Amino acid sequence: MIPTPHIELTDPNLLGKTVLMPGDPLRAEYIANTYLDNVVKINHIRNMFGFTGSYKGKKITVMGSGMGMPSIGIYSYELFAFYNIEQIIRIGSCGSYSESAKLYDVIVVEDAFSESSFAKTAFGYEENIIGSSQSTLHDLIHAADQLQYPILKGRIHSSDVFYRSNGNVMKDVAQKYDCLAVEMESFALFANAKKLGKKAGCILTVSDSLVTNEATTAQERQNSFNKMMEIALEAAI
Ligand code: HPA
């Protein structure tokens, strides 16, 4: 298989049909070692590690996306367009914009609002809200139901910036566009999937809050991460 600029597989058969994408490549390694059997490392370019293994007998890949839309835009485009990946499920964290999304709650993303120019620049898309794929969304919700894990469903903000001093994001974005929480990747992932006729979804845990000062423990963090991972894995197979 011809390598793309950012992904070089050691064997063309090493990719599953679904890729789970955390932002952090070391998180990808942890997930692979914790949840998958027969794990093989598939990419190491720029240390953006990817791993393929099996989950309940099905081949599945976990690979880092990096932070932000330019980074996930590159990796998801190459996986969809050049490696025949059918579905990417982002698994990440987000900052809550809403009292209803409490620390360590799990959010299944229905659609993403962004002020980013990514989709317009890349594909001429004028819309500022792009949906996740219906079937991926359905599978994530169904998996959560089966596992009897409570989730929130809704819109999130895909932001281009983490640090800002301009404007009032709660008023200008959260309330105006009815966003539950903020992260930095989904809009670009969903735009790529839409353009390329592929499937994409996203599941997040709330890692911090922009509305309250809640305190939690490392154990709660781990519990919520495990729940999110189980939902994503069950949806992927
Ligand atoms: N902002 C943007 N992205 C994030 C945040 C945040 O507060 N928390 C986790 N991802």
Side-chain angles (χ1 to χ4, degrees):
M1 185 168 269
I2 301 165
T4 54
H6 308 93
I7 302 171
E8 191 176 318
L9 296 183
T10 44
D11 176 330
N13 297 316
L14 281 181
L15 277 169
K17 286 286 168 209
T18 292
V19 176
L20 302 181
M21 290 204 113
D24 179 355
L26 294 180
R27 197 25 94 79
E29 184 165 38
Y30 169 82
I31 291 165
N33 290 334
T34 307
Y35 295 97
L36 307 184
D37 298 320
N38 308 315
V39 173
V40 191
K41 194 182 239 185
I42 56 151
N43 186 56
H44 53 85
I45 309 247
R46 285 177 184 253
N47 286 348
M48 196 55 82
F49 306 131
F51 304 85
T52 296
S54 61
Y55 179 75
K56 298 191 176 170
K58 293 247 170 88
K59 189 155 93 172
I60 198 151
T61 297
V62 194
M63 181 172 153
S65 69
M67 287 187 287
M69 288 183 262
S71 187
I72 197 167
I74 289 170
Y75 292 107
S76 61
Y77 192 94
E78 291 185 14
L79 288 168
F80 282 145
F82 308 124
Y83 294 96
N84 295 325
I85 291 301
E86 281 171 11
Q87 171 170 260
I88 296 176
I89 302 177
R90 165 169 151 68
I91 46 187
S93 63
C94 59
S96 175
Y97 277 164
S98 159
E99 299 219 343
S100 66
K102 308 223 178 318
L103 229 48
Y104 306 131
D105 279 355
V106 176
I107 300 178
V108 171
V109 176
E110 291 177 335
D111 53 17
F113 161 83
S114 189
E115 65 278 76
S116 159
S117 63
F118 182 93
K120 183 164 195 289
T121 304
F123 311 123
Y125 290 160
E126 296 288 346
E127 60 264 50
N128 56 12
I129 294 169
I130 303 183
S132 65
S133 306
Q134 282 304 315
S135 70
T136 310
L137 179 61
H138 170 273
D139 290 348
L140 287 167
I141 293 169
H142 180 71
D145 280 352
Q146 292 290 309
L147 291 160
Q148 299 189 317
Y149 292 156
I151 52 163
L152 296 167
K153 291 171 269 193
R155 176 172 302 151
I156 51 92
H157 175 205
S158 292
S159 179
D160 262 339
V161 293
F162 188 90
Y163 299 105
R164 67 165 80 213
S165 58
N166 185 33
N168 177 341
V169 77
M170 292 308 294
K171 198 159 138 292
D172 303 342
V173 178
Q175 285 154 25
K176 188 166 173 194
Y177 295 98
D178 199 20
C179 296
L180 272 175
V182 56
E183 50 87 85
M184 306 186 74
E185 291 82 14
S186 293
F187 184 77
L189 172 64
F190 296 170
N192 281 346
K194 180 175 152 122
K195 176 68 187 175
L196 297 166
K198 304 284 185 160
K199 298 194 288 185
C202 176
I203 184 164
L204 304 167
T205 54
V206 178
S207 61
D208 52 277
S209 175
L210 284 82
V211 286
T212 61
N213 290 314
E214 293 172 82
T216 62
T217 65
Q219 188 60 47
E220 283 176 289
R221 194 156 56 233
Q222 193 59 41
N223 286 345
S224 98
F225 177 78
N226 290 342
K227 282 187 192 148
M228 170 179 72
M229 277 315 308
E230 282 182 61
I231 295 169
L233 285 161
E234 289 295 328
I237 60 171

